[in-house]
Amino acid sequence: MTKKIIFIATAVIGVILLLIVFNYSSNPYEEEQVFDSTPDVEGQPTIGDADAPLTIVEFGDFMCPSCNAWGENIYPKILKDYIETGEAQFTYINTPFHGQQSEKAALAAESVYANAPDDYWGFHHGLFSEQDSENHHSEWVTDKVITDMVESHTSLNAQDVLSDIENGEHGAELNKDTELNSEYSIQFTPTIFINNVMIQDPFDYDEIKETIDNELDR
Ligand code: CA
């Protein structure tokens, strides 16, 4: 009887441990991570005062619904509280985790940034707003959507942007981004850095504020 109870108890503990391990590996934000350096934002679209003491970086994907939600709910707070006050600059780095559609959107954004940097953020937010909220797997990054966004938000000729995508004109810039993805072990989008600190939960604005205040105090 005692042996049976020990056997069952061991089995139950084993299952619990497995569940903990499984849950841990499936939760991307279990631990805040501190890296040796801040991601290099040279040549990347950046908004805010170039002399700002803080660098905030989003590793994002135009195909990622959470990135769209982050852009709508958290980014405006950071913009108001830290970017517009001159305390932080904000940079977006492409993290094309959803295949060809992610890459197409990223190449479009790189083309707009290279040819009309002042129009970049309008295009960026416009493209995110085109996500298909009904069907996250739909291939919504069509030539028509890119054309509409280029025409509504930039001074560029949409056909030039489509040609750039077709010819992989800004493939080198996209490679630079994916190298940064590897360098900073990006596994989930959005991943947010405050200087060299990778935020544990990008949707926890209190954590973001606390990390920003700690970094500003240093
Ligand atoms: Ca880039």
Side-chain angles (χ1 to χ4, degrees):
M1 187 62 186
T2 311
K3 272 186 185 171
K4 196 176 177 186
I5 290 170
I6 291 171
F7 176 76
I8 292 169
T10 308
V12 167
I13 289 167
V15 167
I16 290 170
L17 282 175
L18 271 178
L19 283 173
I20 290 170
V21 169
F22 180 77
N23 190 46
Y24 181 81
S25 63
S26 67
N27 182 347
Y29 307 118
E30 199 67 35
E31 277 183 7
E32 186 173 88
Q33 294 188 58
V34 180
F35 286 71
D36 291 340
S37 62
T38 300
D40 181 8
V41 300
E42 173 87 36
Q44 301 287 359
T46 298
I47 183 172
D49 187 341
D51 296 325
L54 273 181
T55 297
I56 302 175
V57 175
E58 175 187 2
F59 286 89
D61 182 344
F62 289 102
M63 286 292 287
C64 145
S66 301
C67 299
N68 191 27
W70 191 86
E72 285 179 355
N73 297 297
I74 304 294
Y75 173 75
K77 295 181 187 172
I78 293 178
L79 181 66
K80 179 172 165 284
D81 294 347
Y82 297 105
I83 301 171
E84 288 176 352
T85 61
E87 288 169 295
Q89 56 175 329
F90 175 85
T91 296
Y92 181 83
I93 295 173
N94 290 297
T95 308
F97 278 176
H98 292 82
Q100 184 268 341
Q101 285 269 294
S102 295
E103 287 180 13
K104 182 174 180 177
L107 286 172
E110 292 290 357
S111 173
V112 168
Y113 179 61
N115 295 297
D118 290 345
D119 297 338
Y120 174 80
W121 293 103
F123 178 82
H124 172 108
H125 296 298
L127 192 54
F128 264 117
S129 73
E130 290 296 305
Q131 274 192 4
D132 185 348
S133 57
E134 300 292 304
N135 177 9
H136 292 153
H137 299 292
S138 84
E139 301 204 333
W140 60 269
V141 187
T142 58
D143 288 0
K144 167 139 190 356
V145 162
I146 287 172
T147 300
D148 289 348
M149 292 303 102
V150 169
E151 287 176 351
S152 343
H153 299 285
T154 82
S155 54
L156 299 171
N157 180 330
Q159 197 52 52
D160 292 343
V161 174
L162 292 175
S163 299
D164 277 1
I165 297 168
E166 183 73 24
N167 301 328
E169 190 67 29
H170 298 283
E173 283 94 326
L174 187 52
N175 285 343
K176 192 171 154 185
D177 290 11
T178 56
E179 279 166 19
L180 285 166
N181 298 170
S182 304
E183 188 179 344
Y184 289 90
S185 307
I186 308 302
Q187 295 177 51
F188 300 90
T189 52
T191 292
I192 305 299
F193 274 77
I194 312 292
N195 288 343
N196 60 330
V197 180
M198 183 194 279
I199 290 293
Q200 182 183 12
D201 178 358
F203 288 92
D204 181 351
Y205 192 58
D206 289 339
E207 182 196 348
I208 291 175
K209 277 181 84 104
E210 196 182 321
T211 307
I212 287 176
D213 292 340
N214 285 342
E215 290 294 305
L216 285 172
D217 284 346
R218 286 204 308 161

